[in-house]
Amino acid sequence: MKVKALSIGMTLAAATMLAGQALAFEPTRPVEFVVASGPGGGTDNFARTIQSIITKHKLMDQSMVVLNKGGGSGAEAFLYARKNEGDPNKLYFGTNNAYLLPHVAKLAYSMEDLRPVAALAFDEFLIWVKGDSEYTTPAALIEAAKAKPNGVTFAGSQSKDTDETLVALIEQTTGTKFKYLPFNGGGEVGVQLAGGHVAANVNNPNENIGQWQAGAVKPLCVFSDKPMAKGEPVYDGKGWGDIPTCASSGVNIPSYKMPRTVWTAAGTPDEAVTYYSDVLKKVSETPEWAEYIKKTSQTGDFLAGQPLQDFITTSEKSTVGVFEAEGWLVK
Amino acid sequence: MRIKRLHVELATAVTLAAVGALGATGALELGVSWSDSGPMPGYFPFYVGIILIIAAFASATQAIFRMRMGSEEMRETFLEPEQTQRVLSFLLPMVVFVVVTVFLGTYIGTALYLFYVAWRNGGYKPWIAILIGIAFSIALYFVFEKAFQVPLHKGPIEEMLGIY
Amino acid sequence: MENFELLMGGFATALTPMHITLMIVGVLLGLIVGVLPGLGAPNGVSLLIPLTFAMDPVSAIILLASMYWGALFGGSTTSILFNIPGEPSSVATTFDGYPMARSGQSTRALTLAFMSAGIGAFVGIVVITLLSSWAARFALRFGAAEYFAVYFLAFCAFIGMGSASPIKTAVSLSLGLLLSTVGMDTVTGSLRLTFGLDALLSGVSFLVVVIGLFGIGELLATVQDGLKFRGVASRIDPRDVFKTMLELPKYITTIIRSSAVGVWMGITPGGPTAASFMSYGLARQWSKPGAKFGTGRPEGIVAPETADHSAGTCAMLPMLALGVPSSATAAVMMGGLMIWGLTPGPMLFSTQPDFVWGLIASMYIANFVGVILVLLTVPFFAALLRIPFAIIGPMIVAICFVGAYTVANSTSDLWLVLIFGVVGFVFNKLEFPLAPLVLAMVLGSKAESSFHQSMIASDGSLGIFFSNYLVGTIMTIALALLIIPQTLKFIQYLKSHKSVDSAA
């Protein structure tokens, strides 16, 4: 089966390579958008927004089909990439999970099976506590954890994923020990905090804004080197721009962001990668994209080519350091 | 030899116990004890596997016990020859359908399968049967691929014809 | 009464020709995706979302929500006619719906299902209208331990009063639980029981198992007695629809109880699938002794359908008010909300009253439209059964396999369907109950995760399940539902044995 899929992939790759030499790359059939999350997740919205912008501005002649492959924290999508080596009509949408998953779980794919195309947005992380919480600064939260190790609970999405990695990073930086409680998704995590079942979470802005508007939760600091873009006040006269950076308020982690990334399978010809990164570049310049970035309170930053490669290398290296210290690495 | 219900009961129990054993051994490498943060990942699968083994053996014992007590039910034939033939005449084409679908794609598989069953089991004329098969395949294509943009499994023939 | 005024405002928004057209289109599309096992509401909704960017949010959500209702209705149709649940939440409808249709009363079965579904949805909407703010606050009180208690309650209510042999129920239940542990475990992040197979990475899909066990398994059972549908000399008479509607008041207690179960499971994290199982279990428990469930009892159709739809409706509430999607469809719709520039959360009700109340008003109308539309389709669907088996049989098989394939676009699922088809056939013949297996697959991994989360939170103390009134009460009710029927059965068994002994 696998052999068959591979051989088809190879004939295809050969065919397109021949075509590629003759003229610039164009997708030859409807482009599959393979999404490394279930329907409705952050990555899913990311892919579908891009799909709708490409459709609206007619940036590609071929149509697009979205396929959700969220199994195994998104590993399913990247395994699919391995099976479709060299297929230039498939794009894979993920986060940093693409290059981090193989470090924490025994999986049949590695970074060798993927080629980065572009990163279009960076999702911020914040420390949130309940609206009426006694902790008003990150330092107070850290103090409480120092006084009572394992007594302060952070909720987060999934296990050994971005949220737990960040909590581990906080622990390693400040020399504390928190309790980490994994849930299924950001929405659930937000409600657990609003209901007072946990002390804090590290949700993305988008996942907690609804609860913040109601004053049920409040942000303490953001893991970014500079404060977020100013905007309208959200609750009690405060908006995103008023949140201090974590580094300036006692948690010395200068920056922690999750890239929203697009990949192709290994063996995809260079022309195809260039073609897609050009299309995505155009997407990132549309007003609709700016609107999406604003609504989801992400940072819009377009990376492709060497800068993207460098970013991935640095990000992978530093995160693997955290994994190593926590003993999560799989051999 | 006639296959009695008892035989099938026993075979099922053994198969289930094997599945339970597979699950339990698979769970062993994940750690099956209770750590300080609650059960380890293998804890549930391991014990559920063990329970399945026990329940399967209990079910087998019960069947044997009922046989000994003179239960008529256990002596009944599981499938009469005629029934076996009917079930197989339905199941075998289905198995072939799956094999063909895996290698040649959904559309070819479906058309051939419908054609075969309508022709052999339904007694339709071959050309009517093949029309039924092709019409249904085309309908599937339009509903799934065109109307709802859900791609179905395709094989080399679609590839050749340039149908995506 | 403030809500009432807002609702009237909502009706003014919803009752425009444009919106009514959208509702009809939505419900019809939903019916189609609901009937085909390969497509579900999430497919339909995600397909429509790009189209909705050009609409204003109220119109967009009306279209999507109508599609969702349509899909819920459509899911019951195939459950009843072919024993293939089109949607996970209509599995419980097969237990009595299919036998009733098989006995030649397909019109009656479908009408019962649609009418009770409509009533269930109506109750759900009334609850949303009256209790939205209270229910949202109540849902906030659910932490990991409470989640577990709710799942446990659903288990106990269903398992407590099974008629099958306890040993075989245990086999079925543990097999289901074992299957539910395959794949990535959320809490520990480790891959379990995948044996190195990529196909098992995302677990054994519930839908694939159900299609095999019920759809293919039942077809195999059908053909052993001849290559035709069992006893389908069904007469189609529109008058049957009305006759059945007049029958409904007889099941008023079942309807009330099932709506209550549905509302409860919709607001709490249980969800529609658990609600329909629990409601079916309770209906069986409350029925007069000697009532044979699983043979086409009307209550066996009314109970799961009412609960399914009231839960499905109430589940909109956590999505809107808390931003927690209760199902895959809700997740897609929520994604849509964000793209339209709305933030689900406690403030949605006060910042976007037009949107929220327009949606709620449209639920009343769309469900009404939905019931009428599906009733109109009853004769058509019932007529499907008249197509010769040699044609419709393989078509159903093909649709089953197509459906299984679309779950994860994986051909290995086709083999799973085949295996579970044979398992379903053998289990049926040997009288292993299938329902506990299915229930265990639906709730097993959720229950395990929330149990594990509770253990982390409490440092491994089981006391957390009785740590406050809410969780303690739910746990107590659950245990009572599990233990009391068994005790009663045991006492009865002792008594009957005594009388047999003395007679001998």
Side-chain angles (χ1 to χ4, degrees):
Chain A
M1 270 247 346
K2 203 183 233 171
V3 174
K4 192 204 107 218
L6 241 164
S7 69
I8 291 176
M10 273 175 343
T11 11
L12 242 177
T16 40
M17 262 187 249
L18 280 176
Q21 282 162 358
L23 64 162
F25 176 81
E26 274 288 333
T28 46
R29 49 160 74 192
V31 180
E32 267 178 38
F33 278 24
V34 185
V35 176
S37 87
T43 309
D44 186 50
N45 287 340
F46 168 61
R48 287 180 198 276
T49 307
I50 293 179
Q51 182 199 19
S52 69
I53 292 175
I54 293 180
T55 314
K56 192 171 172 192
H57 292 270
K58 302 191 176 57
L59 299 175
M60 239 160 55
D61 293 335
Q62 288 286 353
S63 62
M64 291 147 283
V65 188
V66 177
L67 275 187
N68 288 98
K69 286 189 175 286
S73 297
E76 197 190 348
F78 305 120
L79 278 165
Y80 186 66
R82 180 188 168 86
K83 280 188 202 150
N84 288 288
E85 192 187 335
D87 186 340
N89 296 310
K90 290 184 171 62
L91 286 180
Y92 303 84
F93 290 76
T95 58
N96 48 10
N97 55 1
Y99 49 88
L100 295 181
L101 274 171
H103 292 292
V104 288
K106 237 190 267 169
L107 294 169
Y109 86 92
S110 69
M111 271 299 284
E112 309 292 307
D113 297 310
L114 294 169
R115 275 194 80 170
V117 176
L120 282 92
F122 291 83
D123 218 344
E124 304 285 353
F125 287 82
L126 295 90
I127 297 185
W128 300 85
V129 291
K130 196 166 181 284
D132 54 11
S133 166
E134 54 189 303
Y135 313 117
T136 49
T137 60
L141 193 68
I142 304 290
E143 280 314 308
K146 275 191 179 143
K148 198 176 166 220
N150 229 358
V152 179
T153 310
F154 265 95
S157 323
Q158 314 287 353
S159 190
K160 295 177 192 165
D161 204 354
T162 46
D163 283 7
E164 191 170 6
T165 308
L166 177 54
V167 173
L169 195 57
I170 300 175
E171 289 174 348
Q172 290 171 14
T173 319
T174 58
T176 47
K177 184 86 191 91
F178 292 100
K179 191 184 270 183
Y180 179 79
L181 205 48
F183 288 88
N184 254 324
E188 221 172 278
V189 172
V191 171
Q192 289 299 315
L193 180 60
H197 303 287
V198 294
N201 70 30
V202 286
N203 263 355
N204 306 126
N206 197 21
E207 294 167 335
N208 263 17
I209 178 167
Q211 300 292 349
W212 188 20
Q213 282 172 347
V217 300
K218 63 184 176 198
L220 293 186
C221 69
V222 55
F223 291 95
S224 178
D225 41 7
K226 52 182 189 293
M228 296 167 69
K230 279 245 180 262
E232 286 155 30
V234 179
Y235 178 75
D236 204 14
K238 285 206 179 121
W240 296 111
D242 302 311
I243 305 166
T245 62
C246 290
S248 73
S249 43
V251 182
N252 198 15
I253 299 169
S255 175
Y256 187 86
K257 289 175 196 208
M258 182 173 71
R260 300 228 174 261
T261 50
V262 183
W263 307 75
T264 58
T268 309
D270 290 337
E271 301 83 47
V273 175
T274 320
Y275 169 83
Y276 287 121
S277 81
D278 285 348
V279 170
L280 292 170
K281 174 89 185 145
K282 284 180 204 148
V283 167
S284 72
E285 285 156 358
T286 59
E288 287 84 2
W289 184 254
E291 184 72 1
Y292 161 79
I293 292 290
K294 192 172 149 236
K295 268 177 202 156
T296 52
S297 306
Q298 303 187 67
T299 310
D301 233 343
F302 184 86
L303 286 185
Q306 198 53 46
L308 175 63
Q309 198 63 58
D310 293 344
F311 171 82
I312 291 170
T313 315
T314 329
S315 160
E316 188 178 4
K317 204 170 153 222
S318 65
T319 320
V320 168
V322 180
F323 290 167
E324 197 162 20
E326 291 294 312
W328 295 346
L329 286 182
V330 289
K331 276 107 220 162
Chain B
M1 188 195 102
R2 261 180 353 122
I3 295 177
K4 287 196 211 112
R5 171 160 170 175
L6 178 76
H7 300 140
V8 185
E9 288 268 6
L10 296 181
T12 310
V14 170
T15 315
L16 286 167
V19 171
L22 190 68
T25 43
L28 270 178
E29 60 184 85
L30 298 164
V32 296
S33 57
W34 195 281
S35 73
D36 46 341
S37 63
M40 285 169 76
Y43 184 86
F44 280 98
F46 179 73
Y47 285 99
V48 168
I50 299 289
I51 293 171
L52 180 56
I53 297 173
I54 295 172
F57 275 114
S59 160
T61 317
Q62 195 184 35
I64 293 172
F65 180 73
R66 283 175 60 193
M67 180 82 171
R68 291 264 163 85
M69 296 292 283
S71 153
E72 272 309 305
E73 207 182 5
M74 287 299 143
R75 288 175 201 280
E76 275 171 21
T77 312
F78 183 69
L79 278 176
E80 299 295 341
E82 200 187 336
Q83 287 180 320
T84 315
Q85 192 246 323
R86 281 203 209 102
V87 169
L88 286 182
S89 76
F90 190 74
L91 184 63
L92 292 180
M94 191 151 67
V95 176
V96 176
F97 162 60
V98 171
V99 175
V100 172
T101 300
V102 167
F103 289 101
L104 293 181
T106 309
Y107 300 108
I108 308 286
T110 306
L112 288 178
Y113 173 59
L114 256 73
F115 156 70
Y116 179 82
V117 177
W119 175 45
R120 301 300 304 191
N121 295 351
Y124 286 86
K125 288 197 185 80
W127 67 273
I128 296 186
I130 194 83
L131 273 186
I132 293 174
I134 292 175
F136 188 70
S137 258
I138 293 176
L140 272 186
Y141 176 75
F142 278 99
V143 171
F144 281 87
E145 309 264 345
K146 289 291 160 197
F148 289 99
Q149 297 186 4
V150 175
L152 299 184
H153 182 58
K154 289 178 213 65
I157 297 182
E158 283 94 343
E159 193 80 42
M160 243 162 54
L161 293 175
I163 298 172
Y164 315 119
Chain C
M1 275 299 94
E2 193 201 347
N3 279 6
F4 185 72
E5 273 166 42
L6 287 164
L7 180 66
M8 286 303 126
F11 271 113
T13 317
L15 274 173
T16 61
M18 149 94 167
H19 284 161
I20 297 204
T21 318
L22 282 180
M23 282 177 216
I24 294 176
V25 172
V27 169
L28 283 176
L29 273 175
L31 271 173
I32 297 171
V33 296
V35 164
L36 291 171
L39 298 169
N43 290 105
V45 169
S46 54
L47 187 77
L48 286 178
I49 278 195
L51 298 182
T52 61
F53 293 143
M55 300 180 186
D56 67 300
V58 187
S59 313
I61 192 84
I62 287 179
L63 178 65
L64 297 191
S66 304
M67 169 138 194
Y68 177 53
W69 311 134
L72 284 180
F73 282 118
S76 323
T77 310
T78 40
S79 296
I80 290 173
L81 293 180
F82 305 116
N83 208 35
I84 305 165
E87 300 277 314
S89 58
S90 38
V91 172
T93 310
T94 60
F95 302 156
D96 275 280
Y98 181 68
M100 183 185 275
R102 217 171 53 190
S103 67
Q105 301 180 332
S106 46
T107 313
R108 181 172 171 225
L110 288 172
T111 312
L112 274 176
F114 296 147
M115 286 307 293
S116 34
I119 297 170
F122 180 76
V123 173
I125 309 164
V126 171
V127 169
I128 292 192
T129 312
L130 299 178
L131 299 176
S132 54
S133 54
W134 172 83
R137 272 204 311 277
F138 180 66
L140 271 187
R141 294 178 52 186
F142 280 73
E146 287 82 2
Y147 272 49
F148 175 74
V150 169
Y151 301 137
F152 188 60
L153 175 66
F155 259 115
C156 294
F158 190 78
I159 304 296
M161 194 69 188
S163 50
S165 124
I167 291 175
K168 291 193 164 170
T169 306
V171 167
S172 194
L173 193 66
S174 45
L175 183 61
L177 287 174
L178 195 60
L179 288 171
S180 81
T181 60
V182 176
M184 180 79 85
D185 172 33
T186 326
V187 178
T188 54
S190 44
L191 284 170
R192 303 194 294 185
L193 305 187
T194 55
F195 302 104
L197 297 172
D198 296 349
L200 291 178
L201 197 67
S202 46
V204 179
S205 159
F206 164 73
L207 214 56
V208 170
V209 172
V210 164
I211 287 174
L213 284 181
F214 289 81
I216 303 297
E218 177 54 35
L219 281 169
L220 289 174
T222 301
V223 294
Q224 65 171 334
D225 302 322
L227 294 176
K228 60 178 193 325
F229 275 113
R230 300 192 204 170
V232 180
S234 77
R235 176 177 55 95
I236 301 151
D237 187 344
R239 272 176 301 180
D240 281 355
V241 173
F242 294 103
K243 255 190 258 163
T244 312
M245 282 159 91
L246 294 178
E247 211 185 311
L248 275 174
K250 270 199 280 181
Y251 313 121
I252 184 75
T253 39
T254 308
I255 290 175
I256 294 174
R257 185 180 55 243
S258 308
S259 318
V261 169
V263 167
W264 162 257
M265 295 303 258
I267 293 175
T268 63
T273 311
S276 57
F277 274 97
M278 181 170 166
S279 168
Y280 184 85
L282 288 177
R284 196 166 52 187
Q285 199 154 338
W286 250 268
S287 65
K288 291 192 199 83
K292 276 270 181 199
F293 271 76
T295 56
R297 295 277 303 171
E299 291 93 336
I301 300 173
V302 173
E305 280 295 307
T306 315
D308 172 10
H309 284 245
S310 54
T313 313
C314 285
M316 296 289 276
L317 200 59
M319 172 188 116
L320 294 170
L322 296 174
V324 178
S326 49
S327 65
T329 320
V332 180
M333 279 201 239
M334 229 177 73
L337 285 184
M338 289 180 193
I339 296 175
W340 306 325
L342 299 171
T343 311
M347 300 310 280
L348 188 67
F349 280 73
S350 47
T351 52
Q352 302 282 348
D354 289 350
F355 172 82
V356 172
W357 292 100
L359 169 64
I360 293 177
S362 84
M363 291 185 191
Y364 283 97
I365 309 165
N367 267 295
F368 186 68
V369 171
V371 172
I372 293 177
L373 283 178
V374 284
L375 284 177
L376 288 176
T377 61
V378 167
F380 168 74
F381 282 122
L384 279 182
L385 290 175
R386 299 192 150 185
I387 300 176
F389 183 82
I391 294 176
I392 192 87
M395 281 184 183
I396 297 172
V397 170
I399 289 179
C400 283
F401 280 97
V402 164
Y405 174 76
T406 55
V407 170
N409 290 297
S410 136
T411 45
S412 50
D413 280 344
L414 302 181
W415 297 110
L416 276 184
V417 170
L418 209 52
I419 294 171
F420 279 102
V422 175
V423 170
F425 175 67
V426 174
F427 269 34
N428 239 324
K429 290 220 67 151
L430 301 182
E431 289 157 29
F432 282 94
L434 293 179
L437 196 165
V438 176
L439 186 70
M441 281 203 72
V442 176
L443 292 182
S445 62
K446 289 183 182 175
E448 191 202 331
S449 302
S450 49
F451 180 80
H452 200 161
Q453 286 157 355
S454 313
M455 288 300 104
I456 296 176
S458 71
D459 294 315
S461 151
L462 290 169
I464 190 169
F465 296 118
F466 292 91
S467 59
N468 64 49
Y469 286 115
L470 181 62
V471 64
T473 313
I474 305 174
M475 288 302 280
T476 311
I477 296 174
L479 288 172
L481 282 174
L482 185 66
I483 294 165
I484 292 174
Q486 300 301 337
T487 324
L488 289 178
K489 246 205 273 187
F490 189 64
I491 293 172
Q492 226 163 19
Y493 174 80
L494 285 184
K495 270 187 190 161
S496 68
H497 255 243
K498 231 178 220 167
S499 58
V500 169
D501 284 349
S502 55

